[in-house]
Amino acid sequence: MFLQNNTLQLRAIEPSDIDFLYRIENDASNWETGSVHLPLSRATLLAYLQQPPVDVFMASDLKWMITLLDGTSVGMIDINNIDHFHQRAEVGIFIDAPFRKQMYAAQALSLLADYAKNYVGWHQLTAVVAQKNTASHRLFQKMGYVQSGVLKDYFKTIEGFEDATIYQLVL
């Protein structure tokens, strides 16, 4: 079954995820490499959650929850810059601190790759990883992603600018 294994599942975000999203999106330590750079209100997040679902074949961006089978949210996976013509997308992944180092990120990426290749028909996934994020470098390498380039001064941080590595997985 796509998007689920015997440990976890990838699923659409639900209104019941508001507390998790509010905590994660408003944690300033996540802002440097994310797309949100200011606090978000519950009302803003709820408005996002109430948007009608988008079909994967029409979407340019998707955000899914990573949950254990008992419903516990452990993280999120973002699929951005979906290009249906070129059959590719960019992936970003976040695992909440108490659930890190338990193989959840690897399992989620594996489920996404299987879905992308065997259901949606994409040809490749890419990831852009900040230089100092050594855990993500190890994760993407372990999952078969190959380093294909470096983006100089890609992320703006409090300390200045930081390079990013591009990883590709040809499916």
Side-chain angles (χ1 to χ4, degrees), residues 103-121:
M103 302 297 294
Y104 297 140
Q107 291 179 59
L109 287 175
S110 180
L111 288 170
L112 175 62
D114 183 49
Y115 173 80
K117 178 181 180 179
N118 297 312
Y119 186 78
V120 184

Side-chain angles (χ1 to χ4, degrees), residues 64-115:
W64 291 338
M65 297 301 295
I66 303 168
T67 67
L68 301 179
L69 296 183
D70 69 4
T72 303
S73 295
V74 300
M76 295 180 291
I77 195 161
D78 289 321
I79 305 139
N80 301 303
N81 302 317
I82 298 170
D83 186 322
H84 298 284
F85 180 79
H86 293 290
Q87 300 172 333
R88 64 181 179 227
E90 184 178 311
V91 61
I93 191 161
F94 173 83
I95 301 295
D96 198 11
F99 301 101
R100 292 179 187 159
K101 297 182 181 180
Q102 297 180 48
M103 302 297 294
Y104 297 140
Q107 291 179 59
L109 287 175
S110 180
L111 288 170
L112 175 62
D114 183 49
Y115 173 80

